[in-house]
Amino acid sequence: MRASLFAPVVLLGFACESGAMMSQFPAMDPRNESEGQTTLASDGDSRTATNETSSTLTATPGAAHSALRDGELRPTRIYEALPVPPLSAPLALTVIGASDVRTVEADLDEPALDQGGAFQLEPRAVTLDATVVTPSLHRDAPEAVLDVAATEDGNAAVGILVDAWLSSPRWGSPRPASCTTDGSGRCAIVWTLDAVDFDALSTIEAASAAFDIDGVVLETTGEVPSFEIYPSPSPLLVTRPGVGLQLPTFPLASGDTLAVPVYLETTGSTPAAYDLRVEFDPMVLEVASVTGGACTGFAAPVHNGGGLANQTGELLMNAISPNVQDDCVRAERVHVATIEFRVRDDAPPGPQSIGCRVRDFFDTNFWNLASDQACDVADIALGGSSGTLLVE
């Protein structure tokens, strides 16, 4: 979608009554109107026109440069003022004898010319191309980053201050930010959200960006830049007795690795063995390793990771506790293993699901605490019986 912001032509009118103003323009030869020229008469310090023709001047932008104004070096642009047909000119903005091309100079950030005369200026037009760098915002990754590239007349627009606002229906007012383009006409706009911006959400919400550049007609290209704001992730809550997985609470990129800890919880009994099945999309993820957890009272699990699991998308793993007297085995939550996944280089972006199922879970008396039961998963948002990874 192409979004454009148009501004009407800027009409600048100045009275040409004083000699100081008129002296800035080339003198006109006094001729009569039948010859298509203008006759000027002088009376003291003021000039009036007789038998004149009237028109306005259209000023077209020329080369940009810097000029010293009031002790400050300011960017300026040369404008060439060209006559336009009298009938198309507003009657209130006419000048006398506009038969010559005139050159005037104005500050780039000032809409008015102080040289006098009546000029119809064609405003500067800047094209802005915006690219979303972080499409999803999360409590653990709260920065919204937007790259912008500004061009003018097909060239990089250097030193342009870009004002931007990020707005969402849940906010009372838009969030402001700005950046100034560098030598290549590029800069990055960054908004950093607070934790409370995520804590109050129960569903994913959208936030969109808008722009403005003072003193120019701004045209944007592409879709309106937007971000998804995710609710604060829920803590891992495990149905007792049962098994829980903790997935990352921030988005991932191709090539990233992620460590997924596996926890056991009981209702006061001591766990002795577990047998799990973890399901994932092998087109998105691959198992890099499966290791023992922080509790040394459990042996490292036996698994099919790194081989068959990466073909089928089904990781099988089980382990026993060779030392049930270890304090960590009798803890409320037992970290028994860590699965390390890697996001494939060609993984498609978007949410990816990870499932887990307890095949068997035994205590030290070989009592079956859980069988064919879904694991509990904490993830980037609300969690549940299956988890979500976000690949960007």
Coordinates of all heavy atoms in Angstrom, one line a residue, residues 233-268:
P233 N 5.0 -12.5 29.5 CA 5.0 -14.0 29.6 C 4.6 -14.4 30.9 O 4.9 -13.8 31.9 CB 6.4 -14.4 29.2 CG 7.3 -13.2 29.5 CD 6.4 -12.0 29.3
S234 N 3.8 -15.5 31.0 CA 3.4 -16.1 32.2 C 4.5 -16.9 32.8 O 5.3 -17.5 32.1 CB 2.1 -16.9 32.0 OG 1.1 -16.2 31.5
P235 N 4.6 -17.0 34.1 CA 5.6 -17.9 34.7 C 5.2 -19.3 34.5 O 4.0 -19.6 34.2 CB 5.5 -17.5 36.2 CG 4.1 -17.0 36.4 CD 3.8 -16.2 35.1
L236 N 6.2 -20.2 34.6 CA 5.9 -21.6 34.4 C 5.2 -22.2 35.6 O 5.7 -22.2 36.7 CB 7.2 -22.4 34.2 CG 7.1 -23.9 34.0 CD1 6.3 -24.3 32.8 CD2 8.5 -24.5 33.9
L237 N 4.0 -22.7 35.3 CA 3.2 -23.3 36.3 C 3.0 -24.8 35.9 O 2.4 -25.0 34.8 CB 1.8 -22.6 36.5 CG 1.8 -21.2 36.9 CD1 0.4 -20.6 36.9 CD2 2.5 -21.0 38.3
V238 N 3.4 -25.7 36.7 CA 3.3 -27.1 36.4 C 2.2 -27.8 37.2 O 2.2 -27.7 38.4 CB 4.7 -27.8 36.6 CG1 4.6 -29.3 36.2 CG2 5.8 -27.1 35.9
T239 N 1.4 -28.5 36.5 CA 0.4 -29.3 37.1 C 1.0 -30.5 37.9 O 1.8 -31.3 37.3 CB -0.6 -29.9 36.1 OG1 -1.2 -28.8 35.3 CG2 -1.7 -30.7 36.7
R240 N 0.8 -30.6 39.2 CA 1.5 -31.6 39.9 C 0.6 -32.9 40.0 O -0.6 -32.8 40.3 CB 1.7 -31.1 41.4 CG 2.6 -29.9 41.4 CD 2.9 -29.5 42.8 NE 3.7 -28.3 42.9 CZ 4.1 -27.8 44.1 NH1 3.8 -28.3 45.2 NH2 4.9 -26.7 44.1
P241 N 1.3 -34.0 40.0 CA 2.7 -34.2 39.5 C 2.7 -34.0 38.0 O 1.8 -34.4 37.3 CB 3.0 -35.6 39.9 CG 1.7 -36.3 39.9 CD 0.6 -35.3 40.3
G242 N 3.9 -33.6 37.5 CA 4.0 -33.4 36.1 C 5.3 -32.8 35.6 O 6.3 -32.8 36.4
V243 N 5.4 -32.4 34.3 CA 6.6 -32.0 33.7 C 6.4 -30.6 33.1 O 5.3 -30.4 32.5 CB 7.1 -33.0 32.7 CG1 8.4 -32.5 32.0 CG2 7.3 -34.4 33.3
G244 N 7.4 -29.8 33.1 CA 7.2 -28.4 32.5 C 8.5 -28.1 31.7 O 9.6 -28.5 32.0
L245 N 8.2 -27.3 30.7 CA 9.3 -26.8 29.8 C 9.2 -25.2 29.8 O 8.2 -24.6 29.8 CB 9.1 -27.2 28.3 CG 9.0 -28.7 28.0 CD1 8.9 -28.9 26.5 CD2 10.2 -29.4 28.6
Q246 N 10.4 -24.6 29.9 CA 10.5 -23.1 29.8 C 11.1 -22.7 28.4 O 12.3 -22.9 28.2 CB 11.4 -22.6 30.9 CG 11.6 -21.1 30.9 CD 10.3 -20.3 31.1 OE1 9.7 -20.4 32.2 NE2 9.8 -19.6 30.1
L247 N 10.2 -22.1 27.6 CA 10.7 -21.7 26.3 C 11.2 -20.2 26.4 O 10.8 -19.5 27.4 CB 9.6 -21.8 25.3 CG 9.0 -23.2 25.0 CD1 8.0 -23.1 23.9 CD2 10.1 -24.2 24.7
P248 N 11.9 -19.7 25.4 CA 12.4 -18.3 25.5 C 11.2 -17.3 25.5 O 10.2 -17.6 24.9 CB 13.2 -18.2 24.2 CG 13.7 -19.6 23.9 CD 12.5 -20.4 24.3
T249 N 11.4 -16.2 26.1 CA 10.4 -15.2 26.2 C 10.7 -14.0 25.3 O 10.3 -12.9 25.6 CB 10.2 -14.7 27.7 OG1 11.4 -14.2 28.2 CG2 9.7 -15.9 28.5
F250 N 11.4 -14.2 24.3 CA 11.8 -13.2 23.3 C 11.9 -13.8 21.9 O 12.0 -15.0 21.8 CB 13.2 -12.5 23.7 CG 14.3 -13.5 24.0 CD1 15.0 -14.0 22.9 CD2 14.5 -14.0 25.2 CE1 16.0 -15.0 23.1 CE2 15.5 -14.9 25.5 CZ 16.2 -15.4 24.4
P251 N 11.8 -13.0 20.9 CA 11.8 -13.5 19.5 C 13.2 -14.0 19.1 O 14.2 -13.6 19.7 CB 11.4 -12.4 18.6 CG 11.7 -11.2 19.4 CD 11.5 -11.5 20.9
L252 N 13.2 -15.0 18.2 CA 14.5 -15.6 17.7 C 14.7 -15.3 16.2 O 13.8 -14.9 15.5 CB 14.4 -17.1 17.9 CG 14.1 -17.6 19.3 CD1 13.7 -19.0 19.3 CD2 15.4 -17.3 20.2
A253 N 16.0 -15.4 15.8 CA 16.3 -15.2 14.4 C 17.0 -16.5 13.9 O 17.4 -17.4 14.6 CB 17.3 -14.0 14.3
S254 N 17.1 -16.5 12.6 CA 17.7 -17.7 12.0 C 19.1 -17.9 12.5 O 19.9 -16.9 12.6 CB 17.7 -17.5 10.4 OG 16.4 -17.4 9.9
G255 N 19.5 -19.1 12.8 CA 20.8 -19.4 13.4 C 20.9 -19.3 14.9 O 21.9 -19.7 15.4
D256 N 19.9 -18.8 15.5 CA 19.9 -18.6 17.0 C 19.8 -20.0 17.6 O 19.2 -20.9 17.1 CB 18.8 -17.8 17.5 CG 19.0 -16.3 17.3 OD1 20.1 -15.9 16.9 OD2 18.1 -15.5 17.6
T257 N 20.5 -20.2 18.8 CA 20.3 -21.4 19.6 C 19.5 -21.0 20.9 O 19.5 -19.9 21.3 CB 21.6 -22.0 20.0 OG1 22.4 -21.0 20.8 CG2 22.4 -22.4 18.8
L258 N 18.7 -21.9 21.4 CA 17.9 -21.7 22.5 C 17.9 -22.9 23.4 O 17.9 -24.0 23.0 CB 16.4 -21.4 22.1 CG 15.7 -22.5 21.2 CD1 14.3 -22.6 21.6 CD2 15.9 -22.1 19.8
A259 N 18.1 -22.6 24.7 CA 18.2 -23.6 25.7 C 16.8 -23.8 26.4 O 16.2 -22.8 26.9 CB 19.2 -23.3 26.8
V260 N 16.3 -25.0 26.4 CA 14.9 -25.2 27.0 C 15.1 -26.2 28.2 O 15.3 -27.4 28.0 CB 14.0 -25.9 25.9 CG1 12.7 -26.2 26.5 CG2 13.9 -24.9 24.7
P261 N 15.0 -25.6 29.4 CA 15.1 -26.5 30.6 C 13.9 -27.3 30.8 O 12.7 -26.9 30.5 CB 15.3 -25.5 31.7 CG 14.8 -24.2 31.2 CD 14.9 -24.2 29.8
V262 N 14.1 -28.5 31.3 CA 13.0 -29.5 31.6 C 12.9 -29.7 33.1 O 13.9 -30.0 33.8 CB 13.2 -30.8 30.9 CG1 12.1 -31.8 31.2 CG2 13.4 -30.7 29.4
Y263 N 11.7 -29.5 33.7 CA 11.5 -29.6 35.1 C 10.5 -30.7 35.5 O 9.5 -30.9 34.7 CB 11.0 -28.2 35.7 CG 11.9 -27.1 35.4 CD1 11.7 -26.2 34.4 CD2 13.0 -26.9 36.3 CE1 12.5 -25.1 34.2 CE2 13.8 -25.8 36.1 CZ 13.6 -24.9 35.0 OH 14.4 -23.8 34.8
L264 N 10.7 -31.3 36.6 CA 9.8 -32.3 37.2 C 9.2 -31.7 38.5 O 9.9 -31.0 39.2 CB 10.5 -33.6 37.6 CG 11.3 -34.4 36.5 CD1 11.8 -35.6 37.0 CD2 10.4 -34.7 35.3
E265 N 7.9 -31.9 38.7 CA 7.3 -31.5 39.9 C 6.4 -32.7 40.4 O 5.7 -33.3 39.6 CB 6.5 -30.2 39.8 CG 7.4 -29.0 39.5 CD 6.7 -27.7 39.7 OE1 5.7 -27.7 40.5 OE2 7.1 -26.7 39.2
T266 N 6.4 -32.9 41.7 CA 5.6 -33.9 42.3 C 4.7 -33.3 43.4 O 4.8 -32.1 43.7 CB 6.5 -35.0 43.0 OG1 7.1 -34.5 44.1 CG2 7.5 -35.5 42.0
T267 N 3.9 -34.2 44.0 CA 3.0 -33.7 45.1 C 3.7 -34.1 46.5 O 3.0 -34.5 47.4 CB 1.7 -34.4 45.0 OG1 1.8 -35.8 44.9 CG2 0.9 -33.8 43.8
G268 N 5.0 -34.1 46.6 CA 5.6 -34.4 47.8 C 6.4 -35.7 47.8 O 7.3 -35.9 48.6

